[in-house]
Amino acid sequence: MLDALRALSEFFTDNSLRSRRSLRGDIERRSLGVNEQFVSGFREVKEDLDSIISDVQAMASCCQDMTSRIKATKEETRDLIGKTTKLQAEMQRLGVRARVADAFLSRFQLTAEEVRILRGSRDSSITMEFFDVLARVKCIHSDVKVLLRTNQQTAGLEIMEQMALHQEAAYERLYRWAQGECRSMTHDSCDVAGVLSRAVGALQDRPVLLKYTLDEFGTGRRSAVVRGFIDALTRGGPGGTPRPIEMHSHDPLRYVGDMLAWLHQASASEREHLDALLKDVSTLGTEEMVKEMLGHITEGVCRPLKVRIEQVILAEPGAVLLFKVSNLLKFYIQTIGAVVGSLDASLVVTLVETADLSRTMFYSSLSTHSAKMLDKVECPPADLSPPVVVAQTLSLLRDVLTSHDASVVPLDARQADFQQVVSCLLDPLLNVCTVCASSLSAVPMAVFLVNSLYAMRGALAPHEFTEQRLDLLQLQIEAHLDTLVNEQASLMLTRAGMAAVYSRVQQHRPEQGPLSQIPGMDESSVKAAMVQFSRYLSSPDSHTLPQLQLLHSSSLKEVVCARAAALVSTAYAEVYDAVHRLDSRYGDAVTAAGMQPTPQQVRALLL
């Protein structure tokens, strides 16, 4: 209804009587116009359909004609199609065979380019592609063994023979090239190229060729090291820096040290070259090979080095310098031995021989010094101080031990050297001091020996490995101190009037009767001794041996006085106890003489 009204509203715009009367006619006219439009549109569609039908009929006729012709042609070409099918099947079989043949050839044959790379010309250089081709030849030679297990043995043998010829030609070319490269490495510094390392690694399959190549390399590097060592000695570095080593020949330690430092650096450099050269060699004896070659390379410098070091040693530069040179050689024996890898190498053996010579000369110098000491024994000085020879020897010992402590040789070797050095110097020195002191009486002898031993102990104390010797010296000092203590105590007892009384108290036996009945121990004698001892206690420090003032150590002087005072105190206690015993039968006059102090009071006063 709404659609009808909406359509009506489009042309019925004037609601008048005339419009309402002509409404039916208008609607019919509009309907007629619409139908005419439909007829016109469908006429065109019909015409197009008729054209399509005619085209389809023409196409159907053409297809029918073509079908007929195809059927006729198929009948005529049936035999040709059969032959074509057979040919296609044969072509597929031949294609498979061709692919198999190509795969076989690519697996078991070299291409022309690979053969050219492998064989090359006589003077052409080796490239990395060469090793890839050589590896392929080895792979083919290994893989072809599979053919020998099949019915293709003839082909397998031919391929194996062909690959063997390629291999021999390749190894021959590789050996000649590597030999030429090694022969040219005679410069001071060389750079081992990766191609040469690869070549040496490839030659390990031919041990004889590898040995000849390495011998050529070792010969070249040996001449380079010898020439470099001589240049370092006489010409110095480029432009004169560093200066020639020979210019320091006046300083033996630096001279020897510079030569050994140069050789250590050269040995390390040569080991790096060998490691780079043999990095692709995978045999088990590579390390032994490196050790042998390093020994051969460094052997050339042994003679010039040995001659120069022997000149330094035989010039007798002094015991201290000989000891320093010996320690320096020991250090480089370990250092260069670690680089070379063998203590049997010629360079290490040379260093060991020169170190032994230096050690022998050093101990010979010490023995000569000790012999001179024993030949010229002097009397002790008036002040009982150590003689000049002791001071000189201890100065030499201090210098040797200072350089010994600064040495970088292993700990056990240093300890063994210390024992021998100290024995060579200290034992003769003790004998000298003993002979010097033999002309003195007991107290001066003890003071002189204590001063000498104290000086020796002071020289050894700052150094390592001295504990045992210090203990022995301390025991000797203690023995001589005991002599001084006994003499000081005897002096103190004599000055205090107690010596005779104390001696009789010690010698008294009960069977001899009361102590007061012993001659010299009567009441008046004992009373006088007690009074004198009491007076002594007022100034005990005034009674000392004059020789004690000559002791160089104030602490030892105090020790002697303290121990002597302790002995006096002990002696007084024995006398005091003996006098105050009832069986001694002394009267009150004796026991109260001088208001006798008790042993505790005496100890407090003296100590």
Side-chain angles (χ1 to χ4, degrees):
M1 179 64 73
L2 293 174
D3 291 339
L5 291 176
R6 188 178 297 110
L8 182 62
S9 65
E10 293 178 356
F11 63 91
F12 188 75
T13 58
D14 186 15
N15 188 8
S16 62
L17 179 61
R18 184 180 178 183
S19 299
R20 287 193 297 271
R21 287 178 179 175
S22 59
L23 176 61
R24 184 180 182 85
D26 291 338
I27 293 172
E28 289 177 351
R29 281 193 299 274
R30 288 178 63 83
S31 176
L32 181 61
V34 170
N35 289 330
E36 288 177 352
Q37 291 177 358
F38 270 105
V39 169
S40 176
F42 276 107
R43 184 181 293 114
E44 294 176 359
V45 171
K46 179 179 180 300
E47 291 175 356
D48 291 339
L49 289 175
D50 290 342
S51 175
I52 291 171
I53 289 172
S54 62
D55 290 340
V56 169
Q57 288 176 350
M59 290 176 64
S61 176
C62 182
C63 290
Q64 186 65 36
D65 182 55
M66 290 178 66
T67 302
S68 299
R69 292 171 62 185
I70 288 173
K71 287 182 179 179
T73 303
K74 187 176 181 180
E75 290 294 331
E76 294 175 358
T77 59
R78 179 174 297 172
D79 293 338
L80 180 61
I81 292 173
K83 291 180 180 179
T84 302
T85 303
K86 291 180 180 179
L87 290 174
Q88 288 178 343
E90 184 66 21
M91 183 177 66
Q92 290 178 352
R93 287 195 298 274
L94 292 176
V96 171
R97 289 184 177 181
R99 289 194 296 273
V100 171
D102 291 340
F104 182 83
L105 291 176
S106 63
R107 181 69 180 274
F108 295 104
Q109 290 293 324
L110 299 178
T111 64
E113 179 64 18
E114 289 175 334
V115 173
R116 184 191 66 79
I117 292 173
L118 192 65
R119 290 181 176 270
S121 62
R122 185 176 183 85
D123 299 328
S124 61
S125 61
I126 300 293
T127 61
M128 284 297 182
E129 290 80 4
F130 174 89
F131 301 103
D132 297 335
V133 177
L134 182 61
R136 188 163 183 271
V137 171
K138 293 170 63 177
C139 182
I140 292 173
H141 193 275
S142 175
D143 292 345
V144 79
K145 295 177 183 179
V146 177
L147 295 178
L148 300 178
R149 302 191 187 100
T150 65
N151 55 359
Q152 303 295 330
Q153 294 182 355
T154 302
L157 290 173
E158 291 179 356
I159 294 173
M160 183 175 288
E161 182 179 1
Q162 186 180 17
M163 292 302 110
L165 292 175
H166 283 315
Q167 274 187 317
E168 293 304 319
Y171 281 121
E172 180 68 20
R173 181 191 173 202
L174 186 63
Y175 164 66
R176 294 188 180 279
W177 177 84
Q179 193 177 39
E181 290 292 313
C182 292
R183 190 177 291 121
S184 65
M185 290 189 176
T186 57
H187 304 290
D188 292 342
S189 61
C190 68
D191 184 17
V192 179
V195 178
L196 181 59
S197 301
R198 189 81 178 271
V200 173
L203 285 175
Q204 65 183 321
D205 293 335
R206 297 293 186 272
V208 176
L209 299 182
L210 176 62
K211 183 179 184 303
Y212 289 158
T213 302
L214 296 180
D215 289 345
E216 196 69 40
F217 180 85
T219 302
R221 293 312 305 159
R222 172 173 173 162
S223 61
V225 170
V226 173
R227 185 176 61 254
F229 183 59
I230 299 300
D231 289 344
L233 288 171
T234 58
R235 299 173 58 185
T241 304
R243 300 172 66 188
I245 297 176
E246 294 283 1
M247 294 189 67
H248 304 294
S249 58
H250 62 279
D251 184 354
L253 190 62
R254 180 175 180 180
Y255 182 48
V256 175
D258 287 349
M259 288 191 292
L260 295 178
W262 190 94
L263 289 175
H264 176 241
Q265 182 179 2
S267 301
S269 299
E270 294 306 317
R271 185 175 185 89
E272 290 177 359
H273 297 157
L274 286 174
D275 289 339
L277 183 68
L278 300 175
K279 67 179 182 180
D280 292 326
V281 177
S282 58
T283 56
L284 296 177
T286 304
E287 184 62 27
E288 293 298 324
M289 198 181 303
V290 170
K291 294 178 183 179
E292 181 180 355
M293 290 188 65
L294 275 175
H296 174 69
I297 291 172
T298 56
E299 184 179 5
V301 299
C302 292
R303 180 171 178 78
L305 175 67
K306 185 176 182 180
V307 169
R308 285 163 175 79
I309 295 179
E310 285 181 348
Q311 288 176 348
V312 170
I313 295 172
L314 296 177
E316 298 184 1
V320 177
L321 271 176
L322 285 172
F323 187 69
K324 290 180 178 180
V325 169
S326 177
N327 285 335
L328 187 64
L329 289 168
K330 288 180 183 179
F331 168 72
Y332 276 103
I333 287 171
Q334 300 295 326
T335 306
I336 296 179
V339 174
V340 176
S342 173
L343 296 179
D344 297 329
S346 299
L347 180 58
V348 179
V349 172
T350 299
L351 294 178
V352 171
E353 291 175 353
T354 52
D356 291 341
L357 176 62
S358 177
R359 180 185 177 88
T360 301
M361 293 296 294
F362 167 68
Y363 286 114
S364 175
S365 177
L366 295 185
S367 299
T368 303
H369 181 83
S370 300
K372 290 180 179 179
M373 283 194 301
L374 294 172
D375 289 342
K376 298 180 180 180
V377 178
E378 302 175 356
C379 294
D383 60 355
L384 300 181
S385 61
V388 177
V389 66
V390 173
Q392 293 175 347
T393 305
L394 291 181
S395 176
L396 173 61
L397 181 61
R398 273 191 292 267
D399 292 340
V400 172
L401 293 183
T402 299
S403 63
H404 176 268
D405 291 344
S407 174
V408 289
V409 298
L411 190 65
D412 52 350
R414 288 165 57 194
Q415 188 169 4
D417 287 341
F418 169 82
Q419 300 298 339
Q420 191 167 356
V421 167
V422 173
S423 297
C424 286
L425 287 178
L426 206 59
D427 292 343
L429 191 59
L430 290 172
N431 292 335
V432 169
C433 293
T434 303
V435 173
C436 286
S438 61
S439 61
L440 300 175
S441 57
V443 174
M445 178 189 294
V447 172
F448 171 74
L449 291 176
V450 167
N451 286 336
S452 300
L453 293 170
Y454 184 77
M456 297 177 198
R457 192 175 185 280
L460 292 181
H463 304 286
E464 56 185 354
F465 311 124
T466 59
E467 293 81 3
Q468 185 177 358
R469 276 288 178 172
L470 290 176
D471 292 341
L472 292 175
L473 291 175
Q474 186 62 36
L475 289 176
Q476 291 177 304
I477 291 174
E478 292 291 338
H480 296 300
L481 287 180
D482 288 342
T483 300
L484 293 177
V485 168
N486 292 331
E487 292 296 331
Q488 175 64 21
S490 176
L491 176 65
M492 293 171 69
L493 289 174
T494 301
R495 296 288 178 84
M498 276 290 170
V501 174
Y502 175 63
S503 176
R504 292 185 179 93
V505 168
Q506 282 192 317
Q507 295 174 3
H508 178 257
R509 297 291 181 268
E511 58 272 14
Q512 294 176 349
L515 186 61
S516 58
Q517 302 300 323
I518 301 298
M521 290 300 293
D522 55 277
E523 290 188 2
S524 60
S525 299
V526 173
K527 181 179 179 180
M530 289 295 183
V531 171
Q532 187 177 352
F533 185 78
S534 297
R535 288 197 299 268
Y536 163 76
L537 292 178
S538 62
S539 58
D541 296 335
S542 61
H543 303 289
T544 57
L545 291 170
Q547 291 85 355
L548 289 183
Q549 304 303 320
L550 301 179
L551 280 176
H552 289 179
S553 173
S554 57
S555 61
L556 293 181
K557 189 187 305 180
E558 294 174 358
V559 168
V560 171
C561 293
R563 290 183 183 176
L567 289 180
V568 171
S569 175
T570 302
Y572 176 78
E574 290 185 21
V575 173
Y576 184 89
D577 292 340
V579 170
H580 285 76
R581 284 200 305 267
L582 294 177
D583 57 0
S584 297
R585 299 180 183 179
Y586 285 106
D588 294 339
V590 173
T591 56
M595 297 183 67
Q596 295 176 10
T598 63
Q600 291 77 13
Q601 292 172 335
V602 171
R603 180 174 292 275
L605 288 171
L606 294 179
L607 301 179

